[in-house]
Amino acid sequence: MIRVLIATTQAERERFGPPLEAALAQAGLKAALGTEFAPEEVDYIVYTPTSGLADFSAFIQTKAVLSLWAGVERIVGNETLTMPLTRMVDPGLTAGMVEWVAGHVLRYHLDTDIDVCRSDARWEKHLAPLAPERSVVVFGLGALGAAAAQTLAGLGFDVSGWSRSAKDIPGIKCLHGDAGLAQALSRAEIAVLLLPDTPDTTNLFNAQTLAQMPRGTRIINPGRGPLIDDDALLLALAEGHIAHATLDVFRVEPLPEAHPYWAHPNVTVTPHIAAETRASSATWVIAENIRRGEAGEPFLHLVDRTLGY
């Protein structure tokens, strides 16, 4: 019998438990799910940082920690976690992120806020360029960034992408490293931020890098809050260099009521809704990784501890 410790909140256990049992059974795995196993008996840990589990040293037989979250910045540096760690790459989460990003890119591209937020009776036409005439840059070309970039390219946009290391994605101009970053910033009429949260990406979008973007750039951040230096963004907005920002993630969540983003006329705040792990698809990813662990096959979406994701 495979013992799977569910290290999540009660609400998460209720949401993911039954579909995970079904997925494991469908995969032909005899598994027991629980919260009270002796640590030395646990084969796998299904984990979220909200569980409170912080010391993994007693789990001496555990083959892998399987995160239900796409981001692993809150666990990757844990020195007691010596077993393999996987992150969640969920088809449902990816689809949700792509839809949210595409919607806001089109919103900016077409300037729909002009009419949607209209409070007067002015009959004033505004004609957007066609998609091939609009440069969109996706910063971060992991699973989510690559999917978003390819969807935007499919809509006809002039899409580039930037990542720390070299990538090759069909139909996307892929840039990387410091030299590539400067080029990417200079092309970003609409910038989509989908980088992981690592020491190298914290405050990557600061006064210096924001100044390298074209005047009037719109920023969309559904990635990680710490990617942006908030004070630098507020200053760039005040100066008109950055025209607008749509922000879904923040350093502190929920975003405090007194934060200037709430009342800023050129900031749209959304409450971390760009993408959500879907139980119906995420549990199949977990079940497949347990099957792989039992078969001695490589795990899907294994975290590189040196890179932090």
Short mmCIF file of all heavy atoms in Angstrom, two decimals, residues 21-77:
data_model
loop_
_atom_site.label_atom_id
_atom_site.label_comp_id
_atom_site.label_asym_id
_atom_site.label_seq_id
_atom_site.Cartn_x
_atom_site.Cartn_y
_atom_site.Cartn_z
N GLU A 21 -8.12 10.49 -5.06
CA GLU A 21 -8.39 9.07 -4.85
C GLU A 21 -8.85 8.43 -6.15
O GLU A 21 -8.41 7.32 -6.51
CB GLU A 21 -9.45 8.89 -3.77
CG GLU A 21 -8.96 9.19 -2.37
CD GLU A 21 -10.04 8.94 -1.32
OE1 GLU A 21 -11.23 8.89 -1.71
OE2 GLU A 21 -9.69 8.81 -0.13
N ALA A 22 -9.71 9.11 -6.89
CA ALA A 22 -10.21 8.58 -8.16
C ALA A 22 -9.08 8.48 -9.18
O ALA A 22 -8.98 7.49 -9.92
CB ALA A 22 -11.33 9.47 -8.70
N ALA A 23 -8.21 9.47 -9.22
CA ALA A 23 -7.11 9.46 -10.19
C ALA A 23 -6.13 8.35 -9.88
O ALA A 23 -5.61 7.69 -10.80
CB ALA A 23 -6.41 10.82 -10.19
N LEU A 24 -5.84 8.14 -8.62
CA LEU A 24 -4.92 7.06 -8.23
C LEU A 24 -5.51 5.70 -8.57
O LEU A 24 -4.81 4.81 -9.08
CB LEU A 24 -4.61 7.16 -6.74
CG LEU A 24 -3.74 8.34 -6.31
CD1 LEU A 24 -3.80 8.53 -4.80
CD2 LEU A 24 -2.30 8.13 -6.76
N ALA A 25 -6.79 5.52 -8.32
CA ALA A 25 -7.45 4.25 -8.65
C ALA A 25 -7.44 4.02 -10.15
O ALA A 25 -7.19 2.90 -10.63
CB ALA A 25 -8.88 4.25 -8.11
N GLN A 26 -7.71 5.08 -10.92
CA GLN A 26 -7.69 4.97 -12.38
C GLN A 26 -6.31 4.60 -12.88
O GLN A 26 -6.17 3.89 -13.90
CB GLN A 26 -8.15 6.30 -12.99
CG GLN A 26 -8.30 6.26 -14.50
CD GLN A 26 -9.45 5.37 -14.96
OE1 GLN A 26 -10.43 5.20 -14.25
NE2 GLN A 26 -9.31 4.80 -16.14
N ALA A 27 -5.27 5.06 -12.18
CA ALA A 27 -3.89 4.73 -12.57
C ALA A 27 -3.47 3.34 -12.10
O ALA A 27 -2.34 2.91 -12.36
CB ALA A 27 -2.94 5.78 -12.00
N GLY A 28 -4.37 2.65 -11.42
CA GLY A 28 -4.07 1.29 -10.96
C GLY A 28 -3.19 1.24 -9.73
O GLY A 28 -2.51 0.23 -9.48
N LEU A 29 -3.20 2.31 -8.93
CA LEU A 29 -2.34 2.40 -7.76
C LEU A 29 -3.16 2.17 -6.49
O LEU A 29 -4.20 2.80 -6.30
CB LEU A 29 -1.67 3.78 -7.70
CG LEU A 29 -0.77 4.14 -8.88
CD1 LEU A 29 -0.38 5.60 -8.82
CD2 LEU A 29 0.47 3.25 -8.90
N LYS A 30 -2.69 1.29 -5.63
CA LYS A 30 -3.33 1.07 -4.34
C LYS A 30 -2.69 2.01 -3.34
O LYS A 30 -1.55 1.81 -2.92
CB LYS A 30 -3.17 -0.39 -3.91
CG LYS A 30 -3.91 -1.37 -4.81
CD LYS A 30 -3.76 -2.79 -4.30
CE LYS A 30 -4.55 -3.77 -5.18
NZ LYS A 30 -4.40 -5.18 -4.70
N ALA A 31 -3.41 3.05 -2.99
CA ALA A 31 -2.85 4.09 -2.15
C ALA A 31 -3.81 4.45 -1.03
O ALA A 31 -5.02 4.42 -1.19
CB ALA A 31 -2.54 5.33 -2.98
N ALA A 32 -3.23 4.81 0.10
CA ALA A 32 -3.99 5.32 1.24
C ALA A 32 -3.63 6.78 1.42
O ALA A 32 -2.45 7.13 1.52
CB ALA A 32 -3.67 4.52 2.49
N LEU A 33 -4.64 7.64 1.44
CA LEU A 33 -4.44 9.06 1.67
C LEU A 33 -4.76 9.38 3.11
O LEU A 33 -5.75 8.87 3.65
CB LEU A 33 -5.34 9.90 0.76
CG LEU A 33 -4.88 10.14 -0.69
CD1 LEU A 33 -4.68 8.84 -1.44
CD2 LEU A 33 -5.89 11.02 -1.41
N GLY A 34 -3.93 10.20 3.75
CA GLY A 34 -4.20 10.54 5.14
C GLY A 34 -3.40 11.71 5.62
O GLY A 34 -2.57 12.27 4.90
N THR A 35 -3.65 12.07 6.88
CA THR A 35 -2.96 13.21 7.49
C THR A 35 -2.21 12.82 8.76
O THR A 35 -1.51 13.67 9.33
CB THR A 35 -3.98 14.31 7.86
OG1 THR A 35 -4.94 13.78 8.80
CG2 THR A 35 -4.70 14.82 6.61
N GLU A 36 -2.31 11.56 9.18
CA GLU A 36 -1.75 11.16 10.48
C GLU A 36 -0.76 10.02 10.38
O GLU A 36 -0.51 9.34 11.37
CB GLU A 36 -2.91 10.77 11.42
CG GLU A 36 -3.95 11.85 11.65
CD GLU A 36 -3.37 13.06 12.39
OE1 GLU A 36 -2.38 12.87 13.12
OE2 GLU A 36 -3.91 14.16 12.25
N PHE A 37 -0.19 9.77 9.22
CA PHE A 37 0.79 8.69 9.11
C PHE A 37 2.04 9.01 9.94
O PHE A 37 2.42 10.19 10.09
CB PHE A 37 1.23 8.50 7.66
CG PHE A 37 0.13 8.07 6.73
CD1 PHE A 37 -0.21 8.83 5.63
CD2 PHE A 37 -0.55 6.88 6.95
CE1 PHE A 37 -1.22 8.43 4.76
CE2 PHE A 37 -1.56 6.47 6.10
CZ PHE A 37 -1.89 7.24 5.00
N ALA A 38 2.69 7.97 10.44
CA ALA A 38 4.01 8.16 11.04
C ALA A 38 4.96 8.62 9.94
O ALA A 38 4.93 8.08 8.82
CB ALA A 38 4.51 6.86 11.66
N PRO A 39 5.80 9.62 10.19
CA PRO A 39 6.65 10.17 9.12
C PRO A 39 7.47 9.12 8.39
O PRO A 39 7.62 9.19 7.16
CB PRO A 39 7.54 11.16 9.87
CG PRO A 39 6.74 11.58 11.05
CD PRO A 39 5.95 10.36 11.45
N GLU A 40 7.99 8.12 9.11
CA GLU A 40 8.84 7.11 8.48
C GLU A 40 8.07 6.16 7.57
O GLU A 40 8.68 5.37 6.83
CB GLU A 40 9.61 6.31 9.53
CG GLU A 40 8.76 5.46 10.45
CD GLU A 40 8.22 6.22 11.66
OE1 GLU A 40 8.32 7.47 11.68
OE2 GLU A 40 7.70 5.56 12.59
N GLU A 41 6.73 6.24 7.59
CA GLU A 41 5.90 5.37 6.75
C GLU A 41 5.41 6.07 5.49
O GLU A 41 4.80 5.42 4.62
CB GLU A 41 4.68 4.89 7.54
CG GLU A 41 5.02 4.02 8.75
CD GLU A 41 3.78 3.60 9.51
OE1 GLU A 41 2.70 4.17 9.24
OE2 GLU A 41 3.90 2.70 10.36
N VAL A 42 5.66 7.35 5.35
CA VAL A 42 5.11 8.12 4.24
C VAL A 42 5.92 7.92 2.97
O VAL A 42 7.15 8.06 2.96
CB VAL A 42 5.06 9.63 4.60
CG1 VAL A 42 4.66 10.47 3.39
CG2 VAL A 42 4.09 9.86 5.76
N ASP A 43 5.23 7.58 1.88
CA ASP A 43 5.90 7.40 0.58
C ASP A 43 5.94 8.69 -0.23
O ASP A 43 6.92 8.96 -0.92
CB ASP A 43 5.17 6.31 -0.22
CG ASP A 43 5.25 4.96 0.46
OD1 ASP A 43 6.37 4.47 0.65
OD2 ASP A 43 4.19 4.40 0.80
N TYR A 44 4.86 9.47 -0.18
CA TYR A 44 4.78 10.72 -0.94
C TYR A 44 4.05 11.76 -0.09
O TYR A 44 3.18 11.41 0.73
CB TYR A 44 4.01 10.53 -2.26
CG TYR A 44 4.67 9.53 -3.17
CD1 TYR A 44 4.32 8.18 -3.11
CD2 TYR A 44 5.64 9.92 -4.08
CE1 TYR A 44 4.93 7.25 -3.93
CE2 TYR A 44 6.26 9.00 -4.91
CZ TYR A 44 5.91 7.66 -4.82
OH TYR A 44 6.53 6.74 -5.63
N ILE A 45 4.39 13.02 -0.28
CA ILE A 45 3.71 14.12 0.39
C ILE A 45 3.11 15.03 -0.67
O ILE A 45 3.82 15.56 -1.53
CB ILE A 45 4.67 14.94 1.27
CG1 ILE A 45 5.32 14.05 2.33
CG2 ILE A 45 3.92 16.10 1.93
CD1 ILE A 45 6.39 14.75 3.15
N VAL A 46 1.79 15.17 -0.63
CA VAL A 46 1.10 16.17 -1.46
C VAL A 46 1.03 17.43 -0.61
O VAL A 46 0.45 17.43 0.48
CB VAL A 46 -0.29 15.69 -1.87
CG1 VAL A 46 -1.03 16.78 -2.64
CG2 VAL A 46 -0.18 14.42 -2.71
N TYR A 47 1.61 18.52 -1.11
CA TYR A 47 1.97 19.64 -0.23
C TYR A 47 1.50 20.99 -0.74
O TYR A 47 1.49 21.26 -1.95
CB TYR A 47 3.50 19.66 -0.11
CG TYR A 47 4.07 20.87 0.59
CD1 TYR A 47 4.15 20.91 1.98
CD2 TYR A 47 4.51 21.97 -0.14
CE1 TYR A 47 4.66 22.02 2.63
CE2 TYR A 47 5.02 23.09 0.51
CZ TYR A 47 5.10 23.10 1.89
OH TYR A 47 5.61 24.20 2.52
N THR A 48 1.08 21.84 0.20
CA THR A 48 0.96 23.28 -0.05
C THR A 48 1.59 24.00 1.13
O THR A 48 1.56 23.50 2.27
CB THR A 48 -0.51 23.74 -0.18
OG1 THR A 48 -1.19 23.50 1.06
CG2 THR A 48 -1.22 23.00 -1.32
N PRO A 49 2.18 25.18 0.91
CA PRO A 49 2.81 25.92 2.00
C PRO A 49 1.84 26.30 3.12
O PRO A 49 2.25 26.53 4.25
CB PRO A 49 3.36 27.17 1.31
CG PRO A 49 3.52 26.79 -0.12
CD PRO A 49 2.39 25.84 -0.39
N THR A 50 0.55 26.36 2.81
CA THR A 50 -0.45 26.72 3.81
C THR A 50 -0.67 25.62 4.85
O THR A 50 -1.38 25.82 5.83
CB THR A 50 -1.78 27.02 3.12
OG1 THR A 50 -2.08 25.98 2.18
CG2 THR A 50 -1.71 28.34 2.36
N SER A 51 -0.05 24.45 4.65
CA SER A 51 -0.24 23.33 5.56
C SER A 51 0.47 23.55 6.89
O SER A 51 0.10 22.94 7.90
CB SER A 51 0.29 22.05 4.92
OG SER A 51 1.71 22.12 4.76
N GLY A 52 1.52 24.35 6.88
CA GLY A 52 2.32 24.54 8.09
C GLY A 52 3.46 23.55 8.22
O GLY A 52 4.31 23.70 9.11
N LEU A 53 3.53 22.55 7.38
CA LEU A 53 4.63 21.59 7.43
C LEU A 53 5.93 22.27 6.99
O LEU A 53 6.01 22.80 5.88
CB LEU A 53 4.34 20.39 6.52
CG LEU A 53 5.44 19.34 6.39
CD1 LEU A 53 5.79 18.74 7.75
CD2 LEU A 53 5.03 18.24 5.41
N ALA A 54 6.93 22.26 7.88
CA ALA A 54 8.18 22.95 7.58
C ALA A 54 9.42 22.08 7.79
O ALA A 54 10.48 22.40 7.25
CB ALA A 54 8.30 24.21 8.43
N ASP A 55 9.27 21.01 8.56
CA ASP A 55 10.42 20.14 8.84
C ASP A 55 10.18 18.78 8.22
O ASP A 55 9.30 18.03 8.63
CB ASP A 55 10.61 20.01 10.35
CG ASP A 55 11.89 19.27 10.71
OD1 ASP A 55 12.54 18.71 9.80
OD2 ASP A 55 12.23 19.23 11.91
N PHE A 56 10.98 18.46 7.21
CA PHE A 56 10.83 17.21 6.47
C PHE A 56 11.85 16.15 6.89
O PHE A 56 11.91 15.09 6.29
CB PHE A 56 10.97 17.47 4.96
CG PHE A 56 9.90 18.36 4.39
CD1 PHE A 56 10.02 19.73 4.43
CD2 PHE A 56 8.76 17.82 3.82
CE1 PHE A 56 9.04 20.57 3.90
CE2 PHE A 56 7.76 18.63 3.30
CZ PHE A 56 7.90 20.01 3.35
N SER A 57 12.64 16.44 7.90
CA SER A 57 13.76 15.56 8.23
C SER A 57 13.32 14.18 8.71
O SER A 57 14.07 13.20 8.57
CB SER A 57 14.65 16.22 9.29
OG SER A 57 13.91 16.58 10.44
N ALA A 58 12.10 14.06 9.27
CA ALA A 58 11.65 12.77 9.77
C ALA A 58 11.10 11.87 8.68
O ALA A 58 10.88 10.66 8.90
CB ALA A 58 10.58 12.97 10.85
N PHE A 59 10.90 12.38 7.48
CA PHE A 59 10.30 11.60 6.38
C PHE A 59 11.39 10.87 5.62
O PHE A 59 11.69 11.16 4.46
CB PHE A 59 9.50 12.53 5.47
CG PHE A 59 8.32 13.18 6.16
CD1 PHE A 59 8.43 14.42 6.75
CD2 PHE A 59 7.10 12.52 6.22
CE1 PHE A 59 7.36 15.02 7.40
CE2 PHE A 59 6.02 13.09 6.87
CZ PHE A 59 6.15 14.35 7.47
N ILE A 60 11.97 9.90 6.28
CA ILE A 60 13.20 9.27 5.77
C ILE A 60 12.95 8.34 4.58
O ILE A 60 13.89 8.02 3.84
CB ILE A 60 13.91 8.50 6.90
CG1 ILE A 60 12.95 7.47 7.55
CG2 ILE A 60 14.44 9.47 7.95
CD1 ILE A 60 13.60 6.62 8.62
N GLN A 61 11.72 7.88 4.38
CA GLN A 61 11.42 6.99 3.26
C GLN A 61 10.65 7.68 2.14
O GLN A 61 10.30 7.04 1.14
CB GLN A 61 10.61 5.78 3.77
CG GLN A 61 11.30 4.93 4.82
CD GLN A 61 12.58 4.29 4.29
OE1 GLN A 61 12.68 3.96 3.11
NE2 GLN A 61 13.55 4.11 5.18
N THR A 62 10.38 8.96 2.30
CA THR A 62 9.54 9.67 1.33
C THR A 62 10.28 9.84 0.00
O THR A 62 11.41 10.31 -0.04
CB THR A 62 9.12 11.04 1.89
OG1 THR A 62 8.36 10.82 3.09
CG2 THR A 62 8.28 11.81 0.88
N LYS A 63 9.60 9.45 -1.08
CA LYS A 63 10.23 9.46 -2.40
C LYS A 63 10.13 10.81 -3.10
O LYS A 63 10.94 11.11 -3.98
CB LYS A 63 9.59 8.38 -3.27
CG LYS A 63 9.77 6.98 -2.71
CD LYS A 63 8.96 5.95 -3.49
CE LYS A 63 9.07 4.58 -2.82
NZ LYS A 63 8.20 3.57 -3.49
N ALA A 64 9.13 11.62 -2.75
CA ALA A 64 8.99 12.93 -3.40
C ALA A 64 7.97 13.76 -2.64
O ALA A 64 7.03 13.23 -2.03
CB ALA A 64 8.56 12.79 -4.85
N VAL A 65 8.17 15.07 -2.69
CA VAL A 65 7.18 16.04 -2.24
C VAL A 65 6.56 16.63 -3.49
O VAL A 65 7.26 17.18 -4.34
CB VAL A 65 7.81 17.13 -1.36
CG1 VAL A 65 6.79 18.23 -1.05
CG2 VAL A 65 8.35 16.53 -0.07
N LEU A 66 5.24 16.51 -3.60
CA LEU A 66 4.51 16.90 -4.81
C LEU A 66 3.69 18.14 -4.50
O LEU A 66 2.65 18.06 -3.83
CB LEU A 66 3.62 15.74 -5.26
CG LEU A 66 4.31 14.37 -5.35
CD1 LEU A 66 3.30 13.26 -5.62
CD2 LEU A 66 5.40 14.36 -6.40
N SER A 67 4.15 19.29 -4.97
CA SER A 67 3.48 20.54 -4.66
C SER A 67 2.22 20.72 -5.50
O SER A 67 2.22 20.44 -6.70
CB SER A 67 4.42 21.73 -4.90
OG SER A 67 3.75 22.95 -4.69
N LEU A 68 1.17 21.19 -4.85
CA LEU A 68 -0.06 21.53 -5.57
C LEU A 68 -0.01 22.94 -6.13
O LEU A 68 -0.94 23.35 -6.83
CB LEU A 68 -1.26 21.40 -4.63
CG LEU A 68 -1.84 19.99 -4.46
CD1 LEU A 68 -2.92 20.00 -3.38
CD2 LEU A 68 -2.40 19.45 -5.76
N TRP A 69 1.05 23.68 -5.82
CA TRP A 69 1.18 25.04 -6.30
C TRP A 69 2.21 25.11 -7.41
O TRP A 69 3.20 24.37 -7.41
CB TRP A 69 1.62 25.97 -5.17
CG TRP A 69 0.57 26.25 -4.15
CD1 TRP A 69 -0.62 25.58 -3.97
CD2 TRP A 69 0.62 27.26 -3.14
NE1 TRP A 69 -1.31 26.12 -2.91
CE2 TRP A 69 -0.59 27.15 -2.38
CE3 TRP A 69 1.54 28.23 -2.78
CZ2 TRP A 69 -0.87 27.99 -1.31
CZ3 TRP A 69 1.26 29.07 -1.71
CH2 TRP A 69 0.07 28.95 -0.99
N ALA A 70 2.00 26.03 -8.35
CA ALA A 70 2.97 26.24 -9.42
C ALA A 70 4.24 26.88 -8.89
O ALA A 70 5.35 26.57 -9.34
CB ALA A 70 2.36 27.11 -10.52
N GLY A 71 4.11 27.79 -7.93
CA GLY A 71 5.26 28.46 -7.34
C GLY A 71 5.80 27.67 -6.17
O GLY A 71 5.04 27.19 -5.32
N VAL A 72 7.12 27.54 -6.09
CA VAL A 72 7.74 26.76 -5.01
C VAL A 72 8.73 27.61 -4.21
O VAL A 72 9.54 27.08 -3.46
CB VAL A 72 8.45 25.51 -5.57
CG1 VAL A 72 7.45 24.51 -6.12
CG2 VAL A 72 9.48 25.89 -6.63
N GLU A 73 8.64 28.93 -4.34
CA GLU A 73 9.61 29.79 -3.68
C GLU A 73 9.55 29.68 -2.15
O GLU A 73 10.53 29.96 -1.46
CB GLU A 73 9.42 31.25 -4.10
CG GLU A 73 8.08 31.86 -3.78
CD GLU A 73 7.04 31.65 -4.87
OE1 GLU A 73 7.32 30.89 -5.82
OE2 GLU A 73 5.96 32.24 -4.76
N ARG A 74 8.42 29.25 -1.61
CA ARG A 74 8.28 29.16 -0.16
C ARG A 74 8.78 27.84 0.42
O ARG A 74 8.79 27.66 1.64
CB ARG A 74 6.81 29.39 0.25
CG ARG A 74 6.36 30.83 0.03
CD ARG A 74 4.88 31.02 0.20
NE ARG A 74 4.40 30.67 1.53
CZ ARG A 74 3.13 30.84 1.92
NH1 ARG A 74 2.24 31.36 1.09
NH2 ARG A 74 2.75 30.49 3.13
N ILE A 75 9.22 26.94 -0.45
CA ILE A 75 9.71 25.65 0.04
C ILE A 75 11.07 25.27 -0.55
O ILE A 75 11.83 24.52 0.06
CB ILE A 75 8.69 24.52 -0.28
CG1 ILE A 75 9.14 23.19 0.33
CG2 ILE A 75 8.45 24.40 -1.76
CD1 ILE A 75 8.18 22.04 0.10
N VAL A 76 11.43 25.82 -1.69
CA VAL A 76 12.61 25.34 -2.41
C VAL A 76 13.90 25.51 -1.60
O VAL A 76 14.85 24.73 -1.75
CB VAL A 76 12.73 26.03 -3.78
CG1 VAL A 76 13.10 27.51 -3.63
CG2 VAL A 76 13.72 25.32 -4.68
N GLY A 77 13.95 26.50 -0.72
CA GLY A 77 15.16 26.71 0.07
C GLY A 77 15.17 25.99 1.40
O GLY A 77 16.11 26.15 2.18
#
